[in-house]
Amino acid sequence: MKLRNVAIIAHVDHGKTTLVDRLLQQSGAFRENQRVAERAMDSNDLERERGITILAKATSVVWHDTRINIVDTPGHADFGGEVERILNMVDGAIVLVDAAEGPLPQTKFVVSKALKMGLRPIVAINKVDRGDARPVQVVNEVFDLFAALDATDEQLDFPILYGSAKEGWMAPSLEGPKESMAPLFDLVIRHVSPPATDEGLFRMLGTIIEANPYLGRLVTGRIRSGSVRPNQPVKVLDRDGNLIEQGRVTKVLAFRGLERQPIEEGLAGDIVAIAGLPEATVAHTICDPQVSAPLPAQPIDPPTLAMTFRINDSPLAGTEGDKVQSRVIRDRLLREAEGNVALRVSESSEKDSMEVAGRGELQLGILIETMRREGFELSVSRPKVLFRRDPEGNLLEPIEEVVIDVDQEYSGIVVQKVAERKGEMMEMRPSGGHRVRLVFHAPTRGLIGYQSELLTDTRGTAVMNRLFHAYGPHRGVISGRSNGVLLSTDAGEAVAYALWNLEDRGPMMIEPGWKVYRGMIVGEHTRGNDLEVNVLKGKKLTNIRTHSKDEAVRLTPPIQMTLERALSYIQEDELVEITPKSIRLRKRTLDPNDRKREERQKEAAGV
Ligand SMILES: Nc1nc2c(ncn2[C@@H]2O[C@H](COP(=O)(O)OP(=O)(O)OP(=O)(O)O)[C@@H](O)[C@H]2O)c(=O)[nH]1
Ligand SMILES: [Mg+2]
């Protein structure tokens, strides 16, 4: 059977997974009576909940006499490294661009990688059904982007389709026919070349890994040469040609719709998953024992952000989760690092803690969320940016490209806030309908926690997109949170009356009935210093503290501390306590006297 391998790449939310749904449906990959969820490829719990793709996944469909392997990729920048590797496995790419939003930072990133690899992408302008779609302009922007990225004449001559993944059609013109995905299928078969293969023995580059509960580790990649069968002896080489392991393939799996089928033989050019190799990972070459040189592989992007994961040692530790010991946490993190090449886990200098480094707040947040669901309790520190030094010894820090779309009236405050965070404005231009697009280069350090502030400043109307740009010279001191916090003086359950009494001190982060302890952060102080408050004190007048009276107090709704918000809110001397049921913020040192002593010691050391 003829074969094509193609990846779908785009900025986050531009409709990749929705497009794959339609390709699966319209190629007849689903059985007549099969019930399939929306965005079926986003199969894990967190992906479904957040509506984003976290892991790249392969599938295949048959169109006439050709099998098309399709790889759906994540659009979020934290997972960008994966997209780059995946482009190595395919011979063509479909670049989706939202007809209203146009090309955004991740579009630029993935297109630049695709062009550099010599692919000739197909451009699909998606979501033309949107009321604010501006497809003609967007095509021009895409052309400018290709040109700016030094596309060759051949690449600049990209074929364009317009359509709506949601409505299930793609067509060569805006007018349609608005019928089906057939024009896209046909274009892929015409425009994408058949897989390039080499002569010789079996070789395959590991590109995606996953842990399968029944089969153990599965390594997915494209077979570069030769073929692979179950029971065949193979070896695994790293990028430098060192032998990692020798073993036998237990199963060869091909992707068929949403399922995977064991096959008798995988042939050169095809994308398959191999079971039976516990050590093989991304960027490793799996090959015949007689092969001596590895396939060229890209190095994995180094992490830019790190957090310390510690045991939960708050007074409420162990009351809500069952996995609390440092050894259990350590084992879990090491296992995660094995399966997730973008993460780096190492022993931390602090007692009972591990340092976890990754590509961004979302990636680390997802790991915490996953562990929390598995029953873990943890406390984690504020994310720290990982610095580097250039050969002359100058300090460098990660700089990101930040694109903010905002209503004109709010552009002033955004420019001011980003400047305070040491961002430099690169561009400002109208982006249609009283909105402007602001482009900055800003240090990651300053952007931590900016998202929620941006939404407050712009009444929820701004959209921010970020992408790692480069390591650049350290931009100097950025002042942190300007408000102090409200701390509980004692342990117990918070009382509505007490919270009501404290309302003029600042917004609360807890609700009546929540368990608190000494040194736990219960709210934000309106001033710069920290303040200890009693949230347990009931009304004095009557001795009877009834529930109904308590509830009669009308409270301002508290600040909702989501995991990501909590992580970016805390300071160096604070921690986020995470359990399967709660997210609490606390001082690292709970006892106020100990805290004062530490502060004095620090000051003394500073002098
Ligand atoms: N109006 C409209 N909405 C669409 C269309 N295609 C996708 N969407 C919506 O856009 C949102 C994001 O779609 P996804 O398919 O998850 O986007 P994605 O590119 O896979 O996102 P990531 O994997 O997170 O990068 C969903 O709410 C879709 O329903 C379209 O053609 N028109
Ligand atoms: Mg997706």
Side-chain angles (χ1 to χ4, degrees):
M1 202 176 219
K2 286 191 243 165
L3 194 62
R4 296 289 185 275
N5 296 321
V6 63
I8 304 186
I9 56 178
H11 187 77
V12 67
D13 263 1
H14 282 192
K16 299 173 287 296
T17 309
T18 308
L19 182 78
V20 177
D21 270 1
R22 299 297 169 264
L23 297 178
L24 284 165
Q25 280 158 3
Q26 296 189 18
S27 67
F30 298 146
R31 288 185 308 276
E32 192 94 336
N33 58 355
Q34 193 171 354
R35 293 189 51 187
V36 184
E38 277 217 353
R39 283 179 262 127
M41 295 288 279
D42 286 348
S43 47
N44 81 41
D45 285 355
L46 279 175
E47 289 183 323
R48 300 220 63 86
E49 234 164 74
R50 295 179 182 230
I52 56 166
T53 305
I54 297 170
L55 304 165
K57 288 175 217 75
T59 181
S60 86
V61 300
V62 175
W63 188 251
H64 301 312
D65 57 349
T66 308
R67 176 167 297 284
I68 308 174
N69 286 317
I70 301 169
V71 192
D72 182 21
T73 62
H76 196 283
D78 283 15
F79 314 110
E82 193 167 28
V83 179
E84 188 172 356
R85 283 195 301 276
I86 278 154
L87 289 171
N88 256 323
M89 178 164 87
V90 295
D91 314 281
I94 301 170
V95 179
L96 277 194
V97 186
D98 185 309
E101 293 185 355
L104 281 169
Q106 191 67 6
T107 320
K108 182 170 160 191
F109 176 78
V110 293
V111 168
S112 77
K113 299 296 174 189
L115 294 178
K116 218 178 272 165
M117 270 167 216
L119 299 179
R120 290 181 302 135
I122 291 169
V123 172
I125 307 297
N126 190 32
K127 306 199 190 184
V128 299
D129 61 288
R130 273 178 72 155
D132 52 353
R134 42 182 192 100
V136 177
Q137 243 171 312
V138 167
V139 168
N140 287 334
E141 290 172 19
V142 173
F143 187 86
D144 291 345
L145 175 67
F146 273 56
L149 292 169
D150 293 329
T152 62
D153 287 347
E154 227 187 359
Q155 287 170 328
L156 269 178
D157 203 15
F158 51 82
I160 306 171
L161 292 180
Y162 301 86
S164 162
K166 197 151 121 190
E167 294 174 354
W169 62 275
M170 283 278 158
S173 102
L174 271 169
E175 284 69 49
K178 304 182 177 180
E179 280 160 12
S180 76
M181 289 288 170
L184 180 59
F185 280 121
D186 293 338
L187 183 59
V188 166
I189 291 172
R190 249 194 350 260
H191 187 76
V192 177
S193 29
T197 57
D198 293 340
E199 291 296 307
L201 297 165
F202 169 63
R203 282 182 306 160
M204 170 181 128
L205 188 66
T207 306
I208 307 175
I209 55 169
E210 77 205 87
N212 182 291
Y214 308 106
L215 300 170
R217 172 166 295 192
L218 289 179
V219 185
T220 298
R222 176 178 51 173
I223 304 174
R224 186 75 211 184
S225 59
S227 69
V228 62
R229 291 167 164 277
N231 219 19
Q232 180 173 323
V234 289
K235 69 176 180 185
V236 177
L237 301 174
D238 71 8
R239 285 179 63 221
D240 304 320
N242 303 310
L243 181 68
I244 300 295
E245 67 175 325
Q246 283 175 299
R248 261 173 210 283
V249 172
T250 52
K251 271 209 158 69
V252 180
L253 302 166
F255 298 87
R256 299 285 180 262
L258 295 178
E259 275 125 50
R260 263 186 287 222
Q261 255 172 31
I263 51 171
E264 273 314 301
E265 185 174 31
L267 298 174
D270 205 357
I271 295 175
V272 296
I274 289 180
L277 300 164
E279 305 294 326
T281 182
V282 169
H284 284 168
T285 300
I286 303 167
C287 55
D288 186 278
Q290 288 175 39
V291 171
S292 53
L295 292 164
Q298 271 151 1
I300 288 149
D301 290 338
T304 53
L305 208 65
M307 267 185 221
T308 314
F309 282 47
R310 313 162 72 238
I311 57 163
N312 181 15
D313 57 1
S314 92
L316 295 174
T319 55
E320 294 173 353
D322 52 4
K323 295 179 182 140
V324 293
Q325 305 92 329
S326 68
R327 185 181 44 81
V328 184
I329 294 170
R330 183 174 180 277
D331 290 351
R332 175 66 182 83
L333 289 174
L334 290 176
R335 191 150 44 86
E336 183 70 25
E338 263 179 30
N340 189 340
V341 289
L343 283 182
R344 206 176 285 160
V345 174
S346 54
E347 303 284 347
S348 153
S349 50
E350 287 171 57
K351 187 170 161 282
D352 284 335
S353 50
M354 302 286 282
E355 177 112 332
V356 182
R359 293 291 295 178
E361 290 154 273
L362 180 70
Q363 192 190 31
L364 293 172
I366 280 171
L367 171 61
I368 295 171
E369 190 61 47
T370 310
M371 288 178 68
R372 183 174 178 216
R373 283 167 197 225
E374 293 169 358
F376 280 90
E377 288 198 4
L378 298 166
S379 53
V380 297
S381 68
R382 180 183 167 83
K384 282 193 304 267
V385 165
L386 296 174
F387 297 119
R388 282 194 202 160
R389 288 194 183 274
D390 67 6
E392 282 81 52
N394 301 313
L395 195 60
L396 304 180
E397 68 173 326
I399 305 287
E400 297 184 36
E401 179 175 305
V402 186
V403 177
I404 299 176
D405 286 309
V406 63
D407 290 347
Q408 245 152 31
E409 53 194 302
Y410 299 121
S411 62
I413 179 84
V414 173
V415 171
Q416 181 203 326
K417 286 287 179 75
V418 179
E420 279 168 17
R421 290 160 179 267
K422 302 280 157 106
E424 198 184 327
M425 188 153 77
M426 310 305 289
E427 203 185 324
M428 179 173 191
R429 65 182 148 96
S431 63
H434 296 294
R435 279 172 86 82
V436 282
R437 176 162 290 187
L438 306 165
V439 182
F440 303 91
H441 282 171
T444 304
R445 197 162 44 100
L447 293 168
I448 295 174
Y450 180 53
Q451 172 74 26
S452 60
E453 201 172 310
L454 172 70
L455 289 181
T456 317
D457 289 345
T458 62
R459 297 180 186 258
T461 58
V463 180
M464 172 162 71
N465 287 287
R466 299 165 46 177
L467 184 70
F468 176 75
H469 172 64
Y471 266 87
H474 190 271
R475 299 221 166 149
V477 179
I478 299 173
S479 56
R481 189 176 78 201
S482 52
N483 292 70
V485 288
L486 301 176
L487 298 164
S488 174
T489 46
D490 265 305
E493 271 182 31
V495 172
Y497 181 74
L499 296 180
W500 180 74
N501 256 333
L502 289 167
E503 286 210 323
D504 56 348
R505 298 295 187 177
M508 286 293 159
M509 296 176 194
I510 60 165
E511 290 180 40
W514 282 27
K515 291 206 176 85
V516 299
Y517 48 83
R518 178 154 79 160
M520 175 171 151
I521 299 173
V522 295
E524 181 173 88
H525 195 191
T526 43
R527 301 178 180 214
N529 62 321
D530 295 344
L531 184 71
E532 282 178 85
V533 296
N534 186 336
V535 294
L536 310 171
K537 207 160 46 183
K539 202 170 179 175
K540 277 278 164 56
L541 295 175
T542 64
N543 282 327
I544 317 149
R545 199 189 298 162
T546 63
H547 225 67
S548 56
K549 251 200 195 110
D550 225 30
E551 275 165 6
V553 178
R554 231 192 264 148
L555 293 172
T556 315
I559 307 176
Q560 297 288 342
M561 274 293 166
T562 58
L563 177 60
E564 273 99 9
R565 189 156 179 198
L567 289 173
S568 56
Y569 184 83
I570 55 170
Q571 302 286 337
E572 207 50 50
D573 65 335
E574 295 162 354
L575 295 170
V576 182
E577 173 186 359
I578 293 146
T579 79
K581 295 206 184 97
S582 321
I583 294 171
R584 304 187 190 94
L585 283 69
R586 55 169 281 195
K587 285 286 171 186
R588 220 174 248 266
T589 308
L590 295 178
D591 187 299
N593 298 323
D594 291 351
R595 231 172 21 242
K596 282 200 192 88
R597 191 173 320 127
E598 280 170 12
E599 263 163 40
R600 270 201 301 272
Q601 277 167 357
K602 239 192 228 157
E603 269 166 32
V607 173

